[in-house]
Amino acid sequence: MPFDESDHQLAEELVSRAALSLDNARRYTRERATALALQRSLLPSSVSGGTAMEVAARYLPADAADGVRGVGGDWFDVIGLPGGRVALVVGDVVGHGIEAAATMGRLRTTIRTLADLDLPPGQLLTRLDRTFIGLVESEPDDMPLPSMGATCVYAVYDPATRRCTVALAGHPPPAVVDPESGVTFADLPTGTPLGLGMLPYEAAELDLPAGGLIALYTDGLVEDRHQDIDAGMERLRNALARTGLSVDGLCSAVIGTVPTATTSDDVTLLLARALP
């Protein structure tokens, strides 16, 4: 039976839809690759804790199945401070794509600038909160907001006192591994996410003896659409309890516990062990 005019119209419609789908797929792939390249270029190529700490970090981008939306705004950093002290930073910008990656880069630069002023962790996050609000308000009215918020943990370790001062801005609490008492999650004032401009941030001190380890991470490591955060934190606790591994090896072991090879959110992990 020969094709009639309606058959030709149907074939043209199918070809048109297929072409549009392929074009969208290419565009999403290109934009995701650009966002991921920007994200990686803004993260430190290496980290060092000097003579005070042994450090290692991992960044795992989100699932490519989510298209460009999968690449988020996670970051980590290690900053040397006067007196042999070390600042440890992990943050997570709300949102995905190039805008989130660019906002992450500006926040990381701001933190490094504030760290040069040697501000205590609570004061630094308070200043960072004001800066973030300024970044959002400076966007043109006809441009989408770069992000609706961000979370961050900023910690300073002093090898002279074996104390770590930590402040949180709506971020998951760090895990602390003590050679004697095992793995615990620090009970700290959580603070609000950056960008809300509410109360000043508070800091608390943790003991970190020689051989002790602190783990900073983003929520992508412990929470996803298939399990709640309690299950993820227990998985992290069990992974950090492993002994006999270097910090770099332990970092790889923890990342290896992420349930799937691809995730719906970025995963960032920063481990720091106090040296004798």
Side-chain angles (χ1 to χ4, degrees), residues 56-169:
R58 295 289 188 277
Y59 167 71
L60 182 66
D63 187 357
D66 284 341
V68 67
R69 296 174 301 165
V71 180
D74 285 15
W75 86 92
F76 62 88
D77 210 347
V78 180
I79 307 168
L81 298 175
R85 292 170 299 139
V86 179
L88 309 168
V89 190
V90 166
D92 184 0
V93 173
V94 176
H96 301 276
I98 294 175
E99 292 84 3
T103 301
M104 174 274 289
R106 286 186 282 183
L107 287 178
R108 181 177 172 234
T109 299
T110 300
I111 288 179
R112 281 194 156 259
T113 300
L114 294 174
D116 285 342
L117 300 177
D118 206 7
L119 295 174
Q123 292 183 27
L124 184 142
L125 289 186
T126 300
R127 294 277 295 272
L128 183 65
D129 181 48
R130 296 170 185 167
T131 301
F132 184 81
I133 292 172
L135 289 176
V136 174
E137 292 178 344
S138 66
E139 290 296 313
D141 293 337
D142 59 346
M143 293 290 289
L145 292 178
S147 172
M148 293 303 293
T151 68
C152 184
V153 51
Y154 183 82
V156 174
Y157 173 69
D158 187 345
T161 62
R162 301 288 184 185
R163 304 281 284 176
C164 195
T165 307
V166 187
L168 302 177

Side-chain angles (χ1 to χ4, degrees), residues 23-261:
D23 183 65
N24 286 339
R26 284 194 295 266
R27 178 166 58 87
Y28 286 145
T29 300
R30 182 171 61 251
E31 290 180 357
R32 182 182 188 276
T34 300
L36 183 57
L38 176 61
Q39 174 89 341
R40 291 192 181 281
S41 71
L42 294 173
L43 293 174
S45 57
S46 62
V47 290
S48 172
T51 60
M53 308 191 89
E54 179 189 3
V55 297
R58 295 289 188 277
Y59 167 71
L60 182 66
D63 187 357
D66 284 341
V68 67
R69 296 174 301 165
V71 180
D74 285 15
W75 86 92
F76 62 88
D77 210 347
V78 180
I79 307 168
L81 298 175
R85 292 170 299 139
V86 179
L88 309 168
V89 190
V90 166
D92 184 0
V93 173
V94 176
H96 301 276
I98 294 175
E99 292 84 3
T103 301
M104 174 274 289
R106 286 186 282 183
L107 287 178
R108 181 177 172 234
T109 299
T110 300
I111 288 179
R112 281 194 156 259
T113 300
L114 294 174
D116 285 342
L117 300 177
D118 206 7
L119 295 174
Q123 292 183 27
L124 184 142
L125 289 186
T126 300
R127 294 277 295 272
L128 183 65
D129 181 48
R130 296 170 185 167
T131 301
F132 184 81
I133 292 172
L135 289 176
V136 174
E137 292 178 344
S138 66
E139 290 296 313
D141 293 337
D142 59 346
M143 293 290 289
L145 292 178
S147 172
M148 293 303 293
T151 68
C152 184
V153 51
Y154 183 82
V156 174
Y157 173 69
D158 187 345
T161 62
R162 301 288 184 185
R163 304 281 284 176
C164 195
T165 307
V166 187
L168 302 177
H171 203 81
V176 178
V177 184
D178 188 292
E180 300 296 330
S181 57
V183 184
T184 58
F185 289 96
D187 185 13
L188 303 171
T190 57
T192 58
L194 300 172
L196 298 182
M198 300 179 72
L199 297 175
Y201 294 93
E202 299 179 23
E205 290 190 344
L206 307 173
D207 289 318
L208 198 64
L213 180 142
I214 186 169
L216 311 182
Y217 53 93
T218 55
D219 58 2
L221 180 65
V222 295
E223 186 177 25
D224 63 31
R225 68 188 69 171
H226 303 297
Q227 64 176 205
D228 61 29
I229 193 169
D230 290 337
M233 293 181 77
E234 187 62 26
R235 172 170 48 80
L236 175 59
R237 183 199 304 274
N238 293 335
L240 290 174
R242 297 183 59 175
T243 59
L245 295 177
S246 67
V247 170
D248 190 68
L250 185 59
C251 212
S252 296
V254 173
I255 291 296
T257 68
V258 175
T260 57

